[in-house]
Amino acid sequence: MSPAIHAPSARAGLVDLVGLLFTVLALVVAYKLTRPPPVIPVTDLPAATCDLQREACRLALPGGRTLELHIVGRPIRPNQPFIVEVRSDDGALQPLDMALRGIEIEMASPAKAFQPDGQGNYRVETALPICTVSRMTWEASVQIEAGGERLRWPLFFVTEAG
């Protein structure tokens, strides 16, 4: 007697095909998850010439687009929360986030996202860390999206203990 040779069934072939498709899908998903997100280039703008502790700051971009930023309840004091408000006259000009960095002593806070207030303004609440010096210069770095382009606007201000 000769051994019987079994032909693979159609069902077994389908199971193999489904297994292969799941393997390919898993590889594609793993590839997508391990790739870093695309880096969007950021253009640094000149530093604002205003004093955030005393006045609103205004950014004028080509094409007549403007952005106005001010501090609610000035002056800014270390370790006390404060609110930054931004108003844009153009819907294509949107503030994204703001990070704070100490100049004389290397201190920083992570960027915080601006939230729309429903009236065309954007707000973010943040605070400066406690500083060990009586006078400190800070940089508020505001990231803005302008028609698909990312811009970084540095604003400087000084805090004093007291």
Side-chain angles (χ1 to χ4, degrees):
M1 260 204 224
S2 67
I5 299 178
H6 297 286
S9 69
R11 183 179 171 121
L14 182 61
V15 168
D16 288 344
L17 179 61
V18 169
L20 177 65
L21 290 176
F22 275 129
T23 302
V24 169
L25 179 63
L27 289 172
V28 168
V29 168
Y31 172 74
K32 292 283 187 178
L33 291 176
T34 59
R35 292 190 61 199
V39 176
I40 299 172
V42 177
T43 302
D44 286 321
L45 298 172
T49 57
C50 57
D51 181 357
L52 271 178
Q53 289 283 44
R54 293 178 174 73
E55 62 190 325
C57 294
R58 189 174 177 95
L59 173 65
L61 293 172
R65 298 180 297 173
T66 61
L67 192 78
E68 185 175 287
L69 183 142
H70 73 277
I71 305 300
V72 177
R74 291 186 291 255
I76 303 166
R77 289 190 170 81
N79 202 32
Q80 292 184 2
F82 62 95
I83 295 173
V84 178
E85 284 187 342
V86 177
R87 173 179 280 293
S88 172
D89 64 352
D90 183 348
L93 195 59
Q94 178 182 355
L96 300 174
D97 60 39
M98 182 180 79
L100 299 168
R101 179 177 71 89
I103 302 300
E104 289 89 1
I105 299 174
E106 185 57 41
M107 301 172 79
S109 67
K112 291 196 173 184
F114 282 96
Q115 301 298 319
D117 70 357
Q119 300 173 10
N121 298 324
Y122 295 86
R123 298 175 72 128
V124 65
E125 183 174 336
T126 190
L128 297 174
I130 294 176
C131 188
T132 58
V133 295
S134 61
R135 182 177 167 87
M136 179 76 161
T137 304
W138 297 89
E139 175 188 3
S141 180
V142 177
Q143 194 166 150
I144 304 161
E145 182 159 332
E149 184 180 9
R150 295 276 171 102
L151 308 172
R152 186 178 304 119
W153 186 30
L155 301 106
F156 294 89
F157 60 95
V158 175
T159 57
E160 295 191 41

